[in-house]
Amino acid sequence: STIIPLPPFLSLLIQQLLQPLFLFQLFCVALWSLDEYWIYAVFTLISLFMFECTVAYNRWKGVKRLREEVEGGSDEESNEEDRRKEAQVVECYRGDEWIFVPSHQLIVGDIVSVISPTIHSNSNNPSCYITSQNLNMKKHDHNRGYQISADLLLLKGRAVVNEAMLTGESVPQVKESIGTEVSANDKRNSPLCLDLNDGSAHKRCILFGGTTLVDHHSDNEVENLSQKSICEKIPPPSNQGLVCFVLRTGFDTIQGQLLRTLAYHAESGGNGGGNSGGGEGVNAKETFYFLLLLLICAVASAATVLEEAWGDVTRNHFKLILHVVIIITSVIPPELPMELSLAVTTSLGELIKRSQIYCTEPFRIPLAGLVDTCCFDKTGTLTSDELKLHGVRLPFPDTKQDDCDKKDRDLILFESQDSDKNGDFDVGMVQSLLPRETLRVMIACHSLALTHKFVPGSDGRTIMQTELCGDPLEKAVLEGCQWTLHPKAKVDAVVEKVSLAPISFPSTSNNGSIIIHHRFSFSSKLRRMTVLAQDTFDEKPTLWALTKGAPEALKSMMDPKSLPLDFDQSYLRHMQLGRRVLAMAYRDLGKYSPSALSKWKSCRESVESKLSFAGLLIMDSPLKPDSSRIVKELRAGHQNVVMVTGDAVLTAAEVARRVGIIDSSPDSTYELCETKDYFQCSYQPKFMFRLLGYFPGHGKNDKNESMPYTPANVSEISSMVKQRKVALCITGDVLSKIALSAIQEEFPNSQSSRFIDDRAVLNHPIARAELASIVPIISVFARHAPRHKEAVIAAFNSAGCHTLMCGDGTNDVGALKQAHVGVSIISVPDLEAKQRLANETIDALKAEEKKERKAAKKNHFKKDNLSNKSTR
């Protein structure tokens, strides 16, 4: 269990009094007493003792506060705490039966059942809710949810978890069972390897300790064959909760590791073990240089005094030596620890007061003054989390390239003059404009879930409300189409909002509903997701495979006959406008039946083949109001500002150009890429710098402006980048291949085959040295997975840069930890939308006022002219 011991105050005080710095100051006090400065020495000793007592008390208070946060409640009465600890029970499968055990007694390998405190999860058996969780309700209310006590592998069911405590991600995350990962494994005969040391691997299937279970959806039947072998011998729990496998407990969990770091920091009083306040936030290297300079001056002064006065027979040699020693010891004045501690405390207070920045590691404050490279994520950091559904490009094969202009004639726009004030189309308009194949993918291919929260009603009674939870992009699409998840369905069913009425499921809507039977979750490596769904609007029950993902990733999986001739030009053009583009596809898997569903769920590779193109989904993500200003200020301070994002390279480059990270025009923006797909010549270099957007045979940027990736060309391009004549971009795949190529050149026969994943390649010292030579000249890092972001920050550090990473989501955690200074932004999309609407309204009013002033001024001139003519 993560029980943090509370050390006695006297023990902490003794530790403080035994610190070398305090002992040295005590020695100085003794010297002053010998020189008859005993009054000054006594007052100094009292002030030092009071300061050490204050530091010890702050350390004790910090550990106590952390202990209360972990265990809940207060430490005033230990008996009450023990009773509360005993009350935190969880249903566990031991000895072929479900029993209740205290959460702190769980061990690795236990099978447990956890539930969220919602009504819908216990509507069938309310008595079990009271039996298993009633004691925990004293600790939290319904809206806060149930706190997970260990790292759990989700075997059965689906959960909605708030991970803000660990990652700072404000949007609750949807967790899928491990069965979805097993079925997504393309190698049927190979077991799925679960690497516990890789925090990003299979994180969609892990409920991390310390996070809050907001809502859950337990499955009544096993999802696939892989789960059946695990769960068929385990009877269902009495609380009908989520069946999970205990992976880690106590301080081995992700939360435990964080708590261990915080507890050490709180107990030690800083990053260095509590040296009378000097280690709390003080850079030891800088302090050492400062004291060394003072020591040199003191030794020079002492030597001069000793040389001048030693020959004087009238001087007392004992007093002379005493004064010389006092001169040397005065290098460290008694006020120094207090001054350093006061400086750090003042810095922390000013960060909170002026900028609303809460610092968890004070020792990074001096490092922030050395930062020379600022790395920003895009979505949620430079741009808003609130995505807007701009339009849909329909799968018409006869669309002419002349129609693909800046007026978006190739799109069905969702932002037009025909929309209402909220920007939403009329339901009938959407249904008439979108083909059923396209609409089906838009509204059913998602990983959203419904959460339940309790709010006070108008009559004073507490009522339950439902809201969509998940990826903001998927929420924007579903809400833009005026569809939603059915709140009373036992399965995931998507229905029209107008069809929701106090009637039993299924709905009687003319457009039917779409039932989602299975999900192949999104993977940053595959860059796509797929669902198996059934459309009740069909005359015959048909099983559909609905897929969406990056256009370049889905192109090879779709039937070439279903692709329009301008497929590449269309999605590239919208990316160049800074929009987020997703390709949609579908496949008819034949008649629906449980056996057919089990067959297709067993292999993702066969499902995601022979797909038919269903259209392009175009999303807009507006910039935050202050993004351009902040980037401009940083660059004015000679900071190197770069973007590290998971979006497409064209989209990222355009957004970087808007905020000011890139100064060059699109014709001067280059991408470091592989050469085999673009160039045919006798000498084939592995990598080249080519014009961004160049694809042979595609017309607009069909000009071969490139140069091979060689040390000489890197040096030449580096000088051009410093002069801001060109800008460079790179994708995560190319970054990994450059790292692997460097290792292969160093070890052509021995070690190159040992690496089985990108993380091992990117962390290799040879690869890091190669990346350190190229990352300082790159402005945009696109299509970067979390491992790539972490490698980029590490490469900047290896190049001698002091880095700042600014992000907002789970994907940025590794990079935030790797940077010298990590800034995690807590995004509030609703507040940002209100601020943006207010700014737009103010701008509109100012424009109207300016227009009225011009009109009034013009009328005034006309009247003056008429009066002058009349007088003449």
Side-chain angles (χ1 to χ4, degrees):
S1 61
T2 54
I3 299 178
I4 302 174
L6 182 64
F9 171 76
L10 184 61
S11 174
L12 295 178
L13 180 60
I14 293 175
Q15 291 180 17
Q16 288 293 129
L17 298 180
L18 293 179
Q19 292 295 325
L21 185 58
F22 180 80
L23 295 178
F24 174 78
Q25 291 171 334
L26 192 63
F27 172 72
C28 294
V29 170
L31 291 178
W32 297 333
S33 300
L34 293 176
D35 199 28
E36 298 179 355
Y37 289 106
W38 62 270
I39 298 178
Y40 173 73
V42 169
F43 276 98
T44 302
L45 182 62
I46 294 175
S47 63
L48 290 175
F49 182 78
M50 293 178 61
F51 175 73
E52 297 299 338
C53 290
T54 303
V55 173
Y57 177 75
N58 289 335
R59 290 171 55 188
W60 180 84
K61 190 176 181 180
V63 177
K64 182 174 180 291
R65 186 186 302 112
L66 181 62
R67 177 185 173 96
E68 293 175 359
E69 288 292 333
V70 175
E71 299 175 358
S74 175
D75 281 329
E76 296 295 334
E77 299 181 9
S78 59
N79 294 333
E80 183 179 350
E81 176 193 351
D82 293 338
R83 288 195 299 268
R84 182 168 51 255
K85 291 297 293 181
E86 290 295 328
Q88 296 176 11
V89 295
V90 63
E91 195 165 3
C92 179
Y93 185 73
R94 291 180 181 176
D96 296 334
E97 63 176 348
W98 288 98
I99 60 176
F100 295 104
V101 298
S103 59
H104 64 276
Q105 293 184 6
L106 292 177
I107 60 175
V108 176
D110 276 340
I111 303 295
V112 298
S113 174
V114 295
I115 66 171
S116 58
T118 55
I119 292 179
H120 80 98
S121 59
N122 304 281
S123 57
N124 296 330
N125 190 4
S127 61
C128 71
Y129 175 81
I130 298 175
T131 303
S132 61
Q133 301 293 338
N134 61 340
L135 297 177
N136 287 333
M137 289 303 101
K138 299 177 182 179
K139 185 182 176 182
H140 57 262
D141 55 24
H142 292 284
N143 291 333
R144 289 184 58 185
Y146 174 73
Q147 188 174 14
I148 306 298
S149 57
D151 286 355
L152 307 176
L153 179 65
L154 187 56
L155 300 179
K156 182 180 177 183
R158 192 160 172 248
V160 179
V161 182
N162 186 355
E163 296 183 342
M165 186 267 182
L166 294 181
T167 65
E169 179 67 64
S170 58
V171 179
Q173 304 296 304
V174 179
K175 301 289 183 176
E176 303 282 353
S177 65
I178 189 62
T180 60
E181 298 288 334
V182 175
S183 60
N185 188 17
D186 292 339
K187 300 177 182 179
R188 297 186 184 184
N189 299 325
S190 63
L192 183 65
C193 179
L194 184 63
D195 186 6
L196 297 182
N197 295 324
D198 187 356
S200 61
H202 311 295
K203 63 182 180 181
R204 291 180 61 89
C205 306
I206 298 178
L207 307 179
F208 294 103
T211 59
T212 303
L213 182 62
V214 179
D215 206 345
H216 82 277
H217 304 269
S218 58
D219 298 330
N220 295 324
E221 56 184 19
V222 180
E223 294 208 357
N224 51 47
L225 298 176
S226 60
Q227 277 186 277
K228 188 175 181 180
S229 61
I230 301 174
C231 299
E232 65 177 355
K233 296 182 180 180
I234 301 176
S238 60
N239 60 5
Q240 299 181 3
L242 303 174
V243 179
C244 305
F245 178 87
V246 179
L247 291 176
R248 290 170 294 222
T249 61
F251 288 102
D252 291 331
T253 64
I254 303 298
Q255 180 205 27
Q257 296 173 12
L258 177 63
L259 290 176
R260 182 163 47 193
T261 303
L262 294 176
Y264 171 75
H265 185 275
E267 187 173 344
S268 63
N271 68 321
N275 51 358
S276 296
E280 189 171 320
V282 180
N283 192 315
K285 185 178 179 181
E286 302 295 333
T287 305
F288 174 77
Y289 289 154
F290 174 67
L291 295 179
L292 181 61
L293 179 62
L294 293 180
L295 180 62
I296 293 174
C297 297
V299 170
S301 301
T304 303
V305 171
L306 188 63
E307 182 181 3
E308 294 292 336
W310 186 260
D312 189 357
V313 294
T314 61
R315 302 291 297 269
N316 188 339
H317 285 186
F318 173 76
K319 290 286 186 179
L320 180 62
I321 295 175
L322 180 62
H323 291 167
V324 169
V325 174
I326 290 177
I327 291 175
I328 296 176
T329 57
S330 63
V331 169
I332 304 178
E335 297 84 5
L336 180 63
M338 290 179 278
E339 291 174 352
L340 295 177
S341 180
L342 182 62
V344 175
T345 304
T346 305
S347 301
L348 294 175
E350 289 299 317
L351 284 175
I352 298 175
K353 181 179 179 180
R354 295 186 179 184
S355 306
Q356 295 297 309
I357 296 177
Y358 296 86
C359 182
T360 60
E361 296 178 341
F363 70 90
R364 297 189 184 272
I365 292 179
L367 296 177
L370 302 174
V371 167
D372 53 18
T373 301
C374 301
C375 307
F376 288 92
D377 182 35
K378 186 182 81 70
T379 305
T381 304
L382 295 175
T383 63
S384 174
D385 275 331
E386 185 194 14
L387 295 173
K388 295 181 179 180
L389 179 57
H390 179 73
V392 177
R393 204 292 195 176
L394 297 181
F396 293 150
D398 57 348
T399 303
K400 298 180 180 180
Q401 187 175 359
D402 296 338
D403 292 336
C404 299
D405 57 9
K406 295 183 180 180
K407 296 182 179 180
D408 293 329
R409 293 180 182 174
D410 60 332
L411 300 181
I412 292 181
L413 297 178
F414 278 69
E415 297 177 350
S416 69
Q417 296 178 355
D418 297 331
S419 58
D420 58 18
K421 295 181 181 180
N422 296 325
D424 298 330
F425 264 121
D426 181 71
V427 177
M429 181 71 70
V430 174
Q431 303 296 338
S432 62
L433 295 177
L434 294 177
R436 187 69 181 186
E437 293 79 8
T438 304
L439 181 63
R440 189 184 294 121
V441 180
M442 291 176 63
I443 63 178
C445 187
H446 60 76
S447 57
L448 298 175
L450 281 177
T451 59
H452 300 71
K453 64 179 182 179
F454 297 84
V455 296
S458 57
D459 56 352
R461 301 177 59 184
T462 301
I463 60 175
M464 184 179 66
Q465 290 184 351
T466 60
E467 62 179 359
L468 286 175
C469 174
D471 189 352
L473 183 148
E474 295 175 340
K475 289 176 62 177
V477 173
L478 198 61
E479 293 173 354
C481 295
Q482 294 293 300
W483 286 60
T484 187
L485 291 173
H486 199 291
K488 297 182 179 180
K490 295 183 179 180
V491 294
D492 286 338
V494 187
V495 296
E496 284 187 282
K497 288 185 177 180
V498 296
S499 66
L500 292 179
I503 56 176
S504 60
F505 181 81
S507 171
T508 58
S509 172
N510 295 331
N511 289 311
S513 61
I514 299 179
I515 303 174
I516 302 173
H517 292 286
H518 185 74
R519 288 182 176 88
F520 298 103
S521 59
F522 175 80
S523 169
S524 59
K525 183 178 181 180
L526 300 177
R527 293 186 293 173
R528 65 180 184 271
M529 74 166 294
T530 301
V531 300
L532 302 179
Q534 178 186 358
D535 191 349
T536 59
F537 186 73
D538 299 332
E539 296 181 358
K540 298 180 180 180
T542 304
L543 185 64
W544 296 93
L546 309 176
T547 304
K548 70 177 180 183
E552 60 270 25
L554 290 188
K555 183 178 179 181
S556 61
M557 303 177 183
M558 291 186 286
D559 185 1
K561 297 180 180 179
S562 67
L563 291 175
L565 298 178
D566 63 339
F567 175 78
D568 290 327
Q569 294 96 317
S570 181
Y571 81 79
L572 289 174
R573 181 180 68 86
H574 290 292
M575 286 182 177
Q576 288 175 338
L577 296 175
R579 296 167 180 169
R580 190 168 181 177
V581 182
L582 294 177
M584 299 181 290
Y586 67 95
R587 181 183 176 186
D588 187 348
L589 300 179
K591 184 178 180 181
Y592 168 78
S593 64
S595 59
L597 180 61
S598 299
K599 170 189 172 183
W600 290 110
K601 283 161 60 172
S602 61
C603 184
R604 180 172 185 170
E605 184 179 8
S606 59
V607 172
E608 296 175 336
S609 62
K610 302 178 182 179
L611 299 172
S612 298
F613 179 60
L616 294 175
L617 195 61
I618 314 298
M619 307 292 295
D620 264 339
S621 181
L623 294 177
K624 289 187 175 180
D626 55 350
S627 295
S628 300
R629 178 180 59 83
I630 295 298
V631 171
K632 183 178 179 180
E633 291 179 359
L634 289 174
R635 297 196 64 178
H638 303 286
Q639 303 286 329
N640 179 26
V641 183
V642 301
M643 177 187 292
V644 188
T645 179
D647 281 350
V649 61
L650 289 173
T651 304
E654 176 59 25
V655 174
R657 191 172 291 109
R658 292 181 183 177
V659 299
I661 295 178
I662 293 179
D663 293 330
S664 61
S665 64
D667 294 334
S668 301
T669 305
Y670 289 80
E671 178 186 5
L672 179 56
C673 62
E674 288 187 285
T675 61
K676 61 181 181 179
D677 295 334
Y678 306 104
F679 303 96
Q680 300 294 332
C681 57
S682 57
Y683 169 69
Q684 283 285 345
K686 291 184 177 180
F687 306 99
M688 274 193 170
F689 298 100
R690 68 168 174 85
L691 187 66
L692 183 62
Y694 165 69
F695 288 89
H698 288 176
K700 185 175 181 180
N701 284 338
D702 194 7
K703 53 181 180 178
N704 189 349
E705 296 185 4
S706 61
M707 62 177 64
Y709 173 70
T710 61
N713 289 336
V714 169
S715 178
E716 179 182 353
I717 288 186
S718 178
S719 62
M720 298 175 65
V721 170
K722 291 180 180 179
Q723 298 173 7
R724 299 186 179 181
K725 294 181 179 179
V726 299
L728 298 181
C729 309
I730 191 173
T731 60
D733 291 339
V734 175
L735 191 79
S736 298
K737 291 176 181 178
I738 290 177
L740 181 60
S741 176
I743 298 175
Q744 290 175 341
E745 291 178 359
E746 186 72 19
F747 305 101
N749 298 320
S750 58
Q751 293 193 11
S752 61
S753 60
R754 293 171 52 187
F755 300 102
I756 58 175
D757 60 0
D758 286 346
R759 186 175 294 274
V761 172
L762 295 170
N763 290 332
H764 196 279
I766 296 176
R768 184 164 294 182
E770 178 68 18
L771 297 180
S773 64
I774 64 171
V775 294
I777 64 175
I778 296 175
S779 300
V780 175
F781 300 85
R783 291 294 189 203
H784 273 50
R787 61 184 181 277
H788 295 128
K789 294 183 178 182
E790 189 174 349
V792 168
I793 301 299
F796 273 116
N797 295 341
S798 300
C801 302
H802 290 82
T803 54
L804 177 144
M805 177 64 194
C806 186
D808 73 313
T810 308
N811 295 336
D812 305 318
V813 172
L816 291 172
K817 293 180 179 180
Q818 190 71 238
H820 291 95
V821 178
V823 180
S824 179
I825 296 179
I826 301 177
S827 299
V828 184
D830 295 339
L831 179 60
E832 293 175 5
K834 293 179 180 178
Q835 291 178 344
R836 186 166 52 255
L837 180 60
N839 292 334
E840 292 175 355
T841 304
I842 293 173
D843 292 340
L845 292 175
K846 288 182 178 179
E848 186 68 23
E849 183 181 0
K850 187 176 181 180
K851 186 177 179 181
E852 291 178 356
R853 288 180 179 177
K854 288 183 177 181
K857 192 174 183 180
K858 188 176 181 180
N859 293 332
H860 180 69
F861 285 150
K862 287 182 179 180
K863 291 180 180 179
D864 290 343
N865 292 332
L866 291 176
S867 62
N868 292 334
K869 289 180 181 179
S870 62
T871 55
R872 290 177 182 176

